[in-house]
Amino acid sequence: MKPILEVKNLSYTYGEGTPFCRTAVDDVSLCVSEGEFIGIIGHTGSGKSTLISHLNALLRPTGGQVLLDGEDIWERPKDIRRVRFRVGLVFQYPEYQLFEETVYRDIAFAPRNMGLSDEEIDRRVREAACFAGVSDEQLDASPFELSGGQKRRVAIAGVIAMEPQVLILDEPTAGLDPRSRDELLDKLSEYHKARGGAVIIVSHSMDEVARVASRIIVMKDAHVLLDDTPRKVFANAALLRDAGLDVPRAASIAAALRQKGIDVRADVCTTQELCGEIMRLAAEKGGAR
């Protein structure tokens, strides 16, 4: 499948030429294809936020390239805004960036800047609100009257309304209670299945990426340490711990059960899979009586 985004030998150094220079991304190469749901994980300072800031041209590479549909995104700097419409980035705690009088106007802000007709803007606002779990009643409300989780959904809807080819979210569930977190992850999964574009989430939670991602990229010390399916990534428990990370709780429980001689699959990643294994073992035990 032809990639939407290609990162070729990307490097970025903060404070280049000063005594405080630090390389945050070093010779990173990867591709993002249509239909992928990618989780990027890594310890604080590993380079993951710097990496995604290059994907929609918030940062310009010190070295290497970022290609969008085969074209270097910095080839025409005056058109860089078009890149940001096609590669939508939702920052961590995006609710702090809400500023319009109503939820509707906030979601409509980016589509209006795209020069779309009122009819097209209205369609996009309502579809994006539906994807993000924002009700019709909330569209007329002030965003500042909403809860933290509801504000987060409004901010995400504002990026979805651009209908980007790639949707990137930096720690989308940070600070949310467990129920709001699960609801948001479910909505992102629904959006991904319905739109078929690429979705990338940066997260510190192994359980979250195991639940929604089909591919996981692990960053360590400005490099890509691992890039594979969740099962294969989380099979490298020792390597992940060396990078300051852990495996999902379900994988830890499964490993503990195996140590006790219980025949649980070695590649369990999610709570759903673990429950399925326990039910299977219970059924086998019941049938053996």
Side-chain angles (χ1 to χ4, degrees):
M1 187 178 293
K2 183 180 178 181
I4 303 172
L5 278 171
E6 293 178 82
V7 176
K8 293 187 173 183
N9 306 111
L10 179 71
S11 296
Y12 187 79
T13 301
Y14 289 100
E16 192 174 30
T18 74
F20 308 102
C21 68
R22 178 178 67 87
T23 298
V25 175
D26 187 13
D27 196 28
V28 168
S29 296
L30 56 89
C31 293
V32 178
S33 297
E34 184 176 345
E36 287 195 294
F37 199 131
I38 300 171
I40 300 179
I41 59 177
H43 197 269
T44 302
S46 61
K48 53 188 188 298
S49 292
T50 300
L51 172 62
I52 64 169
S53 295
H54 282 84
L55 301 184
N56 83 332
L58 283 181
L59 292 177
R60 187 165 187 165
T62 303
Q65 294 177 298
V66 177
L67 307 181
L68 178 59
D69 285 337
E71 182 179 330
D72 189 326
I73 63 175
W74 286 101
E75 187 173 333
R76 292 178 290 176
K78 291 183 179 179
D79 292 337
I80 211 69
R81 193 171 70 153
R82 293 188 180 183
V83 173
R84 293 171 185 156
F85 290 149
R86 296 171 64 189
V87 182
L89 175 58
V90 181
F91 297 98
Q92 189 174 359
Y93 298 111
E95 59 269 28
Y96 295 141
Q97 298 163 28
L98 303 177
F99 61 92
E100 287 282 6
E101 294 178 358
T102 66
V103 168
Y104 185 101
R105 288 172 62 88
D106 233 309
I107 299 173
F109 181 78
R112 200 172 301 281
N113 281 342
M114 295 171 74
L116 304 174
S117 67
D118 289 343
E119 292 79 9
E120 179 63 12
I121 291 170
D122 185 69
R123 180 191 69 79
R124 291 193 180 204
V125 167
R126 296 186 185 280
E127 285 190 5
C130 183
F131 275 125
V134 179
S135 68
D136 288 341
E137 293 75 18
Q138 289 171 335
L139 290 176
D140 293 325
S142 166
F144 307 107
E145 296 173 354
L146 304 179
S147 69
Q150 290 169 336
K151 289 179 182 178
R152 182 79 54 89
R153 292 183 183 195
V154 171
I156 291 172
V159 177
I160 289 176
M162 296 190 301
E163 298 189 353
Q165 290 175 271
V166 183
L167 174 65
I168 307 171
L169 305 103
D170 191 0
E171 299 283 2
T173 65
L176 298 183
D177 61 78
R179 181 178 177 181
S180 296
R181 177 197 63 209
D182 291 344
E183 289 175 350
L184 181 54
L185 290 173
D186 287 343
K187 285 294 182 181
L188 290 176
S189 294
E190 290 173 15
Y191 166 82
H192 174 250
K193 290 174 183 176
R195 285 287 171 86
V199 176
I200 301 172
I201 65 167
V202 173
S203 179
H204 68 280
S205 170
M206 305 302 103
D207 295 283
E208 288 182 8
V209 294
R211 175 177 168 178
V212 298
S214 56
R215 172 185 168 196
I216 295 176
I217 296 170
V218 183
M219 298 288 295
K220 180 189 178 186
D221 298 333
H223 296 87
V224 172
L225 178 66
L226 294 168
D227 182 353
D228 216 319
T229 64
R231 295 189 194 285
K232 291 183 179 179
V233 166
F234 291 128
N236 292 278
L239 198 60
L240 290 172
R241 291 191 178 100
D242 185 59
L245 302 171
D246 208 339
V247 297
R249 284 173 293 179
S252 295
I253 294 171
L257 291 173
R258 287 196 302 275
Q259 287 179 353
K260 293 182 179 293
I262 300 173
D263 186 24
V264 178
R265 265 177 33 214
D267 60 353
V268 167
C269 289
T270 67
T271 302
Q272 184 179 10
E273 290 174 344
L274 180 60
C275 290
E277 281 295 284
I278 292 171
M279 292 174 67
R280 176 184 63 79
L281 292 170
E284 289 177 358
K285 185 176 181 181
R289 290 179 180 175

